[in-house]
Amino acid sequence: MANTTDKPKTGGAVQTTGHAWDGDIQEFNNPLPTWWIWAFYLTVAFAVIYWILYPAWPMGKGFTTGVSEVTFESGGKEVTTHWNTRARLAHEMQASDEAQRQREYLERVASADFNTIFGDADMMAFAQSTAKGIFGDNCAPCHGSGGAGVTALFPNLADDDWLWGGSVDDIQTTIQHGRRGYMPPFKQTFNEQQLADVTDYVLGLSGHQVDPEAAKRGQAIFQGETGGCYYCHLTDGTGRKSQGAANLTDAIWTMIDVPGAADMDAKRRLVSGVISNGVTRIMPPWDGRLSPEQIKLLSVYVHELGGGQ
Amino acid sequence: MKHESLEINSGLLILFTLIAISIGGLAEIIPLYYIDDTVEKVDGVRPYTPLELRGRDIYQREGCYTCHSQMIRPFRDEHLRYGHYSLAAESKYDHPFQWGSKRTGPDLARVGEKYSDAWHVAHLEAPRSVVPESIMPGYPWLLENELDYTSIEKRMRALRMTGVPYALTEEENQANVDKYGPEVAAKLDITRADDSLIEQAIARNYDGDPSRLTEMDALVAYLQMLGTLVDFSKYEQGHFAEFR
């Protein structure tokens, strides 16, 4: 070690604690720096002021409540109470600048119908910015932050294909009450041949080159009581909205990535897989968790994601 | 007494340090024993069912609390994002509580019934399969591991000793029936814990695989009840400020 002979901070004689270790190791006994001492006195003063202003010391059955007060409205009455974070939150939710400004917009949204909202640039800007946050906190974990969804699990909200309808009213109903997409598994119903036939018929509906004989046999199953597919997917395959059944005649798939499959065999495997296993998908209801205004804003936002009708 | 005598006498220094620290501690702890307003009077809070309790154990075992808090603070931003702030009453049967102080992920105090069971299973197995931006680790073994519930009775007995109203006697069971209704009371009966655990798992099939009872069943059952017990629409805004 270098020979560090620190000078004492105060001039004059070196003050030490008086000990000597190992013969010559000594310890200075400098006074505390003045700034430190003052900082300490300041914290003491701060504590005393805090005790006076805010709830602090336990006393008997209660506590010292401090002299600070908060006023808020509860059940139509004005309540004034000692300062506490819960009362302050109620006050902030009711009377802060941000809350008041937001409430102004929310009241306008609440009383306007969708057409008025779509026609009002100011309200649309509010809907876009507010609903983006609500969507991110609540919907994005399933539907993705851009609404693209996850094949098989959560539908794409940004395209113009809708299971339950793409009008803004349909979307609002979906969000309010949730949806349960259900298709029974046909594993037990069909033998291998029937499954292959109906698969070819389904692929033919969207313009794929399939075996016409097989598709014909499949059609009988699809449109007849053996499969009963027509009940949900309709005889033309476009899907019954009240069942949330997929449109089988277009190039957009929600359960399986048919366009991405390598060849016809892979496509057939995907389609027959869905038919054998069926579908159960749940979209949770948001009534109660989100306010009616928030749901209205979200409906507008989802409608504008790309495919609203 | 000169300050120096404190500094050079370690026994005395320890004593006075303890006194100084205790003042802060006691001022916070003692009032909890006699101010009866600290735990809000509120309807709906019940102890965990056996299945949820096992789920909670797995939550702790996997260290979910290192990234997730379960404490919504009374601030406007948290209120808007997560919902009503957490009440003391809502964690009165938590031993130990899971409030936490680290939020790498979102608060989970009100995550119950926000998402579907299928989402939780997919997300816990491989978070990035549903949330591409996620930095949460995957827990695929939860789907593989059979749920071990051999010790469920002992766990409930231990919690009963801390004051959680799990029932051992007919009398305690009756008290639960009066308080929570027969359906909930049956799930709080220690002597029927095994049956009610299996019953709940079968009834909802949380993990999507009806043939097995996995750790995923238990964890999802726990997550799906978080923050759902109190119906806040029954209370005026600001009602709970009274308890502060």
Side-chain angles (χ1 to χ4, degrees), chain A residues 17 38 53 79 88 93 95 107 116 119 134 138 146 150 191 230 258 282 295 305:
Chain A
T17 51
W38 278 105
L53 289 178
V79 182
R88 202 196 47 179
M93 294 300 292
E107 276 164 9
T116 317
I134 306 171
N138 299 284
V150 180
N191 61 32
Y230 72 91
V258 170
I282 289 169
I295 291 179
L305 274 177

Side-chain angles (χ1 to χ4, degrees), chain B residues 57-110:
Chain B
D57 293 336
I58 292 163
Y59 183 91
Q60 290 175 73
R61 182 191 75 194
E62 300 296 350
C64 311
Y65 58 84
T66 55
C67 287
H68 292 287
S69 59
Q70 286 187 25
M71 165 56 70
I72 303 168
R73 297 169 295 176
F75 303 144
R76 186 163 173 268
D77 58 326
E78 301 211 359
H79 183 95
L80 292 176
R81 175 163 183 188
Y82 299 119
H84 200 284
Y85 51 78
S86 300
L87 301 180
E90 288 179 288
S91 43
K92 70 177 168 183
Y93 298 130
D94 271 2
H95 299 283
F97 61 76
Q98 299 297 315
W99 300 337
S101 57
K102 179 79 175 76
R103 280 186 185 160
T104 304
D107 188 275
L108 297 182
R110 301 213 183 285

Side-chain angles (χ1 to χ4, degrees), chain A residues 58 60-61 72 74-75 82 84-86 88-89 92-94 98-99 102 137-138 141-142 145 154 284 286 289, chain B residues 27 31 34-35 40 74-76 79 81 85-86 110 112 114-115 119 130-131 133 236-238 240-241 244:
Chain A
K61 278 258 167 237
F72 59 95
S74 184
H82 65 269
N84 69 75
T85 48
R86 292 178 175 187
R88 202 196 47 179
L89 172 71
E92 244 177 57
M93 294 300 292
Q94 294 162 357
E98 295 86 352
Q102 195 173 46
D137 285 345
N138 299 284
C142 289
S145 39
F154 311 111
W286 296 88
R289 188 179 278 273
Chain B
Y34 64 86
I35 300 180
E40 306 86 355
F75 303 144
R76 186 163 173 268
H79 183 95
R81 175 163 183 188
Y85 51 78
S86 300
R110 301 213 183 285
K114 184 181 179 193
Y115 304 124
W119 183 85
V130 285
V131 184
E133 312 86 339
E236 293 290 343
Q237 182 176 36
F240 294 104
R244 280 292 172 276

Side-chain angles (χ1 to χ4, degrees), chain A residues 106-107 109-110 134 290-298:
Chain A
L106 288 176
E107 276 164 9
V109 167
I134 306 171
L290 299 176
S291 72
E293 293 82 20
Q294 287 178 314
I295 291 179
K296 214 163 167 183
L297 291 168
L298 270 175

Side-chain angles (χ1 to χ4, degrees), chain B residues 159-202:
Chain B
L159 285 168
R160 179 174 164 274
M161 282 161 68
T162 69
V164 181
Y166 289 124
L168 255 187
T169 64
E170 193 37 52
E171 223 168 51
E172 287 169 351
N173 184 44
Q174 191 52 47
N176 281 345
V177 172
D178 296 343
K179 197 162 167 203
Y180 305 112
E183 231 169 274
V184 173
K187 294 199 154 53
L188 306 182
D189 186 342
I190 299 179
T191 57
R192 283 183 279 171
D194 285 5
D195 290 343
S196 76
L197 182 146
I198 296 169
E199 213 172 89
Q200 188 184 352
I202 290 177

Side-chain angles (χ1 to χ4, degrees), chain A residues 9 15 68 87 122 136 139 224 236 264 266 289 307:
Chain A
K9 288 280 153 38
Q15 292 179 30
S68 262
D122 199 26
C139 324
D236 62 359
M264 270 315 278
R289 188 179 278 273

Side-chain angles (χ1 to χ4, degrees), chain B residues 29 33 44 68 84 105 113 153 203 208 217:
Chain B
I29 295 164
Y33 287 96
H68 292 287
H84 200 284
E113 302 299 351
E153 284 195 18
D217 278 308

Side-chain angles (χ1 to χ4, degrees), chain B residues 200-221:
Chain B
Q200 188 184 352
I202 290 177
R204 178 145 160 188
N205 181 25
Y206 295 88
D207 69 355
D209 178 355
S211 63
R212 298 175 65 214
L213 177 50
T214 63
E215 294 186 339
M216 187 67 90
D217 278 308
L219 182 56
V220 174

